[in-house]
mmCIF file of all heavy atoms in Angstrom:
data_model
loop_
_atom_site.group_PDB
_atom_site.id
_atom_site.type_symbol
_atom_site.label_atom_id
_atom_site.label_comp_id
_atom_site.label_asym_id
_atom_site.label_seq_id
_atom_site.Cartn_x
_atom_site.Cartn_y
_atom_site.Cartn_z
ATOM 1 N N PRO A 1 -1.611 2.191 25.727
ATOM 2 C CA PRO A 1 -1.758 3.503 25.132
ATOM 3 C C PRO A 1 -2.065 3.417 23.656
ATOM 4 O O PRO A 1 -1.604 2.525 22.942
ATOM 5 C CB PRO A 1 -0.391 4.150 25.392
ATOM 6 C CG PRO A 1 0.147 3.436 26.573
ATOM 7 C CD PRO A 1 -0.359 2.047 26.477
ATOM 8 N N LYS A 2 -2.886 4.372 23.184
ATOM 9 C CA LYS A 2 -3.341 4.353 21.799
ATOM 10 C C LYS A 2 -2.177 4.408 20.819
ATOM 11 O O LYS A 2 -2.177 3.742 19.786
ATOM 12 C CB LYS A 2 -4.296 5.532 21.564
ATOM 13 C CG LYS A 2 -4.921 5.510 20.174
ATOM 14 C CD LYS A 2 -5.895 6.661 19.999
ATOM 15 C CE LYS A 2 -7.128 6.437 20.835
ATOM 16 N NZ LYS A 2 -8.169 7.471 20.573
ATOM 17 N N ASP A 3 -1.167 5.193 21.135
ATOM 18 C CA ASP A 3 -0.044 5.324 20.224
ATOM 19 C C ASP A 3 0.711 4.009 20.049
ATOM 20 O O ASP A 3 1.194 3.691 18.979
ATOM 21 C CB ASP A 3 0.928 6.394 20.734
ATOM 22 C CG ASP A 3 0.295 7.793 20.674
ATOM 23 O OD1 ASP A 3 -0.671 7.945 19.917
ATOM 24 O OD2 ASP A 3 0.791 8.675 21.405
ATOM 25 N N SER A 4 0.772 3.247 21.179
ATOM 26 C CA SER A 4 1.525 1.996 21.109
ATOM 27 C C SER A 4 0.804 0.942 20.290
ATOM 28 O O SER A 4 1.417 0.032 19.761
ATOM 29 C CB SER A 4 1.792 1.458 22.511
ATOM 30 O OG SER A 4 0.589 1.087 23.123
ATOM 31 N N ARG A 5 -0.538 1.026 20.179
ATOM 32 C CA ARG A 5 -1.276 0.092 19.346
ATOM 33 C C ARG A 5 -0.979 0.345 17.866
ATOM 34 O O ARG A 5 -0.971 -0.560 17.059
ATOM 35 C CB ARG A 5 -2.777 0.215 19.592
ATOM 36 C CG ARG A 5 -3.239 -0.301 20.945
ATOM 37 C CD ARG A 5 -4.742 -0.085 21.079
ATOM 38 N NE ARG A 5 -5.217 -0.554 22.362
ATOM 39 C CZ ARG A 5 -5.635 -1.797 22.610
ATOM 40 N NH1 ARG A 5 -5.596 -2.694 21.655
ATOM 41 N NH2 ARG A 5 -6.057 -2.138 23.797
ATOM 42 N N ALA A 6 -0.743 1.582 17.523
ATOM 43 C CA ALA A 6 -0.551 1.931 16.118
ATOM 44 C C ALA A 6 0.859 1.640 15.643
ATOM 45 O O ALA A 6 1.096 1.460 14.463
ATOM 46 C CB ALA A 6 -0.863 3.405 15.895
ATOM 47 N N LYS A 7 1.828 1.595 16.557
ATOM 48 C CA LYS A 7 3.229 1.405 16.188
ATOM 49 C C LYS A 7 3.748 0.107 16.803
ATOM 50 O O LYS A 7 3.683 -0.076 17.999
ATOM 51 C CB LYS A 7 4.071 2.585 16.679
ATOM 52 C CG LYS A 7 3.626 3.928 16.107
ATOM 53 C CD LYS A 7 4.489 5.031 16.684
ATOM 54 C CE LYS A 7 4.031 6.401 16.171
ATOM 55 N NZ LYS A 7 4.865 7.492 16.746
ATOM 56 N N SER A 8 4.257 -0.750 15.937
ATOM 57 C CA SER A 8 4.817 -2.002 16.443
ATOM 58 C C SER A 8 6.177 -1.819 17.082
ATOM 59 O O SER A 8 6.645 -2.669 17.806
ATOM 60 C CB SER A 8 4.920 -3.029 15.298
ATOM 61 O OG SER A 8 5.752 -2.525 14.278
ATOM 62 N N ASP A 9 6.849 -0.708 16.794
ATOM 63 C CA ASP A 9 8.172 -0.463 17.359
ATOM 64 C C ASP A 9 8.145 0.702 18.344
ATOM 65 O O ASP A 9 9.126 1.431 18.487
ATOM 66 C CB ASP A 9 9.175 -0.191 16.240
ATOM 67 C CG ASP A 9 8.767 0.992 15.375
ATOM 68 O OD1 ASP A 9 7.622 1.459 15.518
ATOM 69 O OD2 ASP A 9 9.613 1.442 14.562
ATOM 70 N N SER A 10 7.023 0.867 19.047
ATOM 71 C CA SER A 10 6.882 1.988 19.967
ATOM 72 C C SER A 10 7.822 1.855 21.149
ATOM 73 O O SER A 10 8.170 0.739 21.571
ATOM 74 C CB SER A 10 5.435 2.069 20.459
ATOM 75 O OG SER A 10 5.309 3.051 21.449
ATOM 76 N N ASP A 11 8.251 2.987 21.678
ATOM 77 C CA ASP A 11 9.097 2.990 22.869
ATOM 78 C C ASP A 11 8.288 2.778 24.140
ATOM 79 O O ASP A 11 8.843 2.469 25.184
ATOM 80 C CB ASP A 11 9.844 4.328 22.973
ATOM 81 C CG ASP A 11 10.846 4.498 21.841
ATOM 82 O OD1 ASP A 11 11.312 3.461 21.323
ATOM 83 O OD2 ASP A 11 11.139 5.650 21.474
ATOM 84 N N ILE A 12 6.967 2.976 24.030
ATOM 85 C CA ILE A 12 6.102 2.808 25.200
ATOM 86 C C ILE A 12 5.537 1.393 25.175
ATOM 87 O O ILE A 12 4.683 1.074 24.348
ATOM 88 C CB ILE A 12 4.961 3.839 25.211
ATOM 89 C CG1 ILE A 12 5.541 5.249 25.142
ATOM 90 C CG2 ILE A 12 4.094 3.661 26.443
ATOM 91 C CD1 ILE A 12 4.477 6.322 24.996
ATOM 92 N N CYS A 13 6.016 0.519 26.047
ATOM 93 C CA CYS A 13 5.579 -0.883 26.080
ATOM 94 C C CYS A 13 5.122 -1.251 27.485
ATOM 95 O O CYS A 13 5.641 -0.729 28.473
ATOM 96 C CB CYS A 13 6.711 -1.809 25.660
ATOM 97 S SG CYS A 13 7.265 -1.583 23.963
ATOM 98 N N GLN A 14 4.166 -2.158 27.541
ATOM 99 C CA GLN A 14 3.666 -2.658 28.818
ATOM 100 C C GLN A 14 3.773 -4.174 28.823
ATOM 101 O O GLN A 14 3.225 -4.844 27.956
ATOM 102 C CB GLN A 14 2.214 -2.231 29.032
ATOM 103 C CG GLN A 14 1.650 -2.705 30.359
ATOM 104 C CD GLN A 14 0.246 -2.177 30.595
ATOM 105 O OE1 GLN A 14 -0.188 -1.259 29.892
ATOM 106 N NE2 GLN A 14 -0.448 -2.737 31.549
ATOM 107 N N LYS A 15 4.511 -4.691 29.787
ATOM 108 C CA LYS A 15 4.715 -6.129 29.865
ATOM 109 C C LYS A 15 3.445 -6.840 30.303
ATOM 110 O O LYS A 15 2.747 -6.390 31.208
ATOM 111 C CB LYS A 15 5.849 -6.438 30.838
ATOM 112 C CG LYS A 15 6.264 -7.900 30.867
ATOM 113 C CD LYS A 15 7.434 -8.121 31.811
ATOM 114 C CE LYS A 15 7.847 -9.579 31.820
ATOM 115 N NZ LYS A 15 8.996 -9.820 32.744
ATOM 116 N N CYS A 16 3.136 -7.955 29.641
ATOM 117 C CA CYS A 16 1.947 -8.732 30.010
ATOM 118 C C CYS A 16 2.161 -9.381 31.377
ATOM 119 O O CYS A 16 3.284 -9.764 31.730
ATOM 120 C CB CYS A 16 1.667 -9.824 28.977
ATOM 121 S SG CYS A 16 1.143 -9.233 27.365
ATOM 122 N N PRO A 17 1.083 -9.545 32.150
ATOM 123 C CA PRO A 17 1.194 -10.271 33.423
ATOM 124 C C PRO A 17 1.686 -11.696 33.194
ATOM 125 O O PRO A 17 1.643 -12.218 32.078
ATOM 126 C CB PRO A 17 -0.238 -10.249 33.970
ATOM 127 C CG PRO A 17 -0.903 -9.112 33.273
ATOM 128 C CD PRO A 17 -0.279 -9.029 31.921
ATOM 129 N N GLU A 18 2.111 -12.360 34.269
ATOM 130 C CA GLU A 18 2.706 -13.695 34.158
ATOM 131 C C GLU A 18 1.721 -14.739 33.659
ATOM 132 O O GLU A 18 2.115 -15.724 33.043
ATOM 133 C CB GLU A 18 3.273 -14.119 35.518
ATOM 134 C CG GLU A 18 4.239 -15.293 35.419
ATOM 135 C CD GLU A 18 4.912 -15.602 36.742
ATOM 136 O OE1 GLU A 18 4.283 -15.335 37.777
ATOM 137 O OE2 GLU A 18 6.050 -16.089 36.738
ATOM 138 N N ASP A 19 0.422 -14.526 33.928
ATOM 139 C CA ASP A 19 -0.573 -15.499 33.497
ATOM 140 C C ASP A 19 -1.181 -15.156 32.140
ATOM 141 O O ASP A 19 -2.207 -15.728 31.753
ATOM 142 C CB ASP A 19 -1.687 -15.618 34.548
ATOM 143 C CG ASP A 19 -2.409 -14.300 34.781
ATOM 144 O OD1 ASP A 19 -1.891 -13.247 34.349
ATOM 145 O OD2 ASP A 19 -3.493 -14.324 35.402
ATOM 146 N N GLN A 20 -0.580 -14.210 31.405
ATOM 147 C CA GLN A 20 -1.072 -13.838 30.078
ATOM 148 C C GLN A 20 0.067 -13.869 29.071
ATOM 149 O O GLN A 20 1.252 -13.892 29.433
ATOM 150 C CB GLN A 20 -1.734 -12.448 30.127
ATOM 151 C CG GLN A 20 -2.979 -12.409 31.002
ATOM 152 C CD GLN A 20 -3.666 -11.062 30.978
ATOM 153 O OE1 GLN A 20 -3.473 -10.272 30.044
ATOM 154 N NE2 GLN A 20 -4.473 -10.783 31.996
ATOM 155 N N TRP A 21 -0.312 -13.824 27.775
ATOM 156 C CA TRP A 21 0.641 -14.000 26.693
ATOM 157 C C TRP A 21 0.331 -13.000 25.595
ATOM 158 O O TRP A 21 -0.826 -12.812 25.232
ATOM 159 C CB TRP A 21 0.539 -15.433 26.164
ATOM 160 C CG TRP A 21 1.557 -15.809 25.152
ATOM 161 C CD1 TRP A 21 1.377 -15.968 23.814
ATOM 162 C CD2 TRP A 21 2.940 -16.062 25.390
ATOM 163 N NE1 TRP A 21 2.547 -16.307 23.204
ATOM 164 C CE2 TRP A 21 3.541 -16.377 24.155
ATOM 165 C CE3 TRP A 21 3.739 -16.057 26.541
ATOM 166 C CZ2 TRP A 21 4.882 -16.683 24.013
ATOM 167 C CZ3 TRP A 21 5.077 -16.352 26.400
ATOM 168 C CH2 TRP A 21 5.643 -16.677 25.164
ATOM 169 N N PRO A 22 1.341 -12.326 25.009
ATOM 170 C CA PRO A 22 1.070 -11.332 23.967
ATOM 171 C C PRO A 22 0.702 -11.986 22.641
ATOM 172 O O PRO A 22 1.125 -13.110 22.346
ATOM 173 C CB PRO A 22 2.383 -10.559 23.864
ATOM 174 C CG PRO A 22 3.421 -11.534 24.303
ATOM 175 C CD PRO A 22 2.775 -12.371 25.368
ATOM 176 N N ASP A 23 -0.087 -11.269 21.830
ATOM 177 C CA ASP A 23 -0.413 -11.758 20.487
ATOM 178 C C ASP A 23 0.792 -11.564 19.569
ATOM 179 O O ASP A 23 1.777 -10.918 19.954
ATOM 180 C CB ASP A 23 -1.642 -11.040 19.957
ATOM 181 C CG ASP A 23 -1.372 -9.567 19.682
ATOM 182 O OD1 ASP A 23 -0.384 -9.045 20.239
ATOM 183 O OD2 ASP A 23 -2.130 -8.946 18.927
ATOM 184 N N PRO A 24 0.777 -12.142 18.366
ATOM 185 C CA PRO A 24 1.936 -12.019 17.471
ATOM 186 C C PRO A 24 2.342 -10.578 17.175
ATOM 187 O O PRO A 24 3.528 -10.296 16.954
ATOM 188 C CB PRO A 24 1.476 -12.739 16.197
ATOM 189 C CG PRO A 24 0.472 -13.731 16.672
ATOM 190 C CD PRO A 24 -0.240 -13.065 17.808
ATOM 191 N N GLY A 25 1.374 -9.650 17.151
ATOM 192 C CA GLY A 25 1.704 -8.265 16.876
ATOM 193 C C GLY A 25 2.192 -7.490 18.081
ATOM 194 O O GLY A 25 2.537 -6.305 17.965
ATOM 195 N N LYS A 26 2.233 -8.139 19.245
ATOM 196 C CA LYS A 26 2.691 -7.514 20.488
ATOM 197 C C LYS A 26 1.859 -6.288 20.862
ATOM 198 O O LYS A 26 2.364 -5.306 21.417
ATOM 199 C CB LYS A 26 4.173 -7.095 20.379
ATOM 200 C CG LYS A 26 5.128 -8.181 19.942
ATOM 201 C CD LYS A 26 5.235 -9.284 20.958
ATOM 202 C CE LYS A 26 6.264 -10.338 20.537
ATOM 203 N NZ LYS A 26 6.378 -11.443 21.496
ATOM 204 N N THR A 27 0.551 -6.351 20.541
ATOM 205 C CA THR A 27 -0.306 -5.212 20.856
ATOM 206 C C THR A 27 -1.331 -5.515 21.925
ATOM 207 O O THR A 27 -1.919 -4.594 22.494
ATOM 208 C CB THR A 27 -1.054 -4.741 19.591
ATOM 209 O OG1 THR A 27 -1.844 -5.820 19.068
ATOM 210 C CG2 THR A 27 -0.060 -4.259 18.523
ATOM 211 N N ARG A 28 -1.597 -6.797 22.195
ATOM 212 C CA ARG A 28 -2.601 -7.167 23.193
ATOM 213 C C ARG A 28 -2.113 -8.369 23.995
ATOM 214 O O ARG A 28 -1.240 -9.114 23.550
ATOM 215 C CB ARG A 28 -3.943 -7.483 22.535
ATOM 216 C CG ARG A 28 -4.512 -6.343 21.713
ATOM 217 C CD ARG A 28 -5.835 -6.746 21.107
ATOM 218 N NE ARG A 28 -6.836 -6.998 22.129
ATOM 219 C CZ ARG A 28 -8.056 -7.468 21.870
ATOM 220 N NH1 ARG A 28 -8.411 -7.761 20.639
ATOM 221 N NH2 ARG A 28 -8.913 -7.661 22.851
#
């Protein structure tokens, strides 16, 4: 969600699949 990209402490989070890894900013 667009809002979650703008906020690093957003309440709306989506867990990455098991074969993927989040970037340091936890946005992708």
Side-chain angles (χ1 to χ4, degrees):
K2 185 178 290 186
D3 293 340
S4 66
R5 290 178 181 271
K7 301 178 182 179
S8 60
D9 58 349
S10 174
D11 293 334
I12 304 174
C13 296
Q14 181 176 346
K15 187 178 181 180
C16 292
E18 196 174 29
D19 60 346
Q20 296 183 21
W21 186 254
D23 68 341
K26 307 294 183 181
T27 59
R28 302 180 64 185

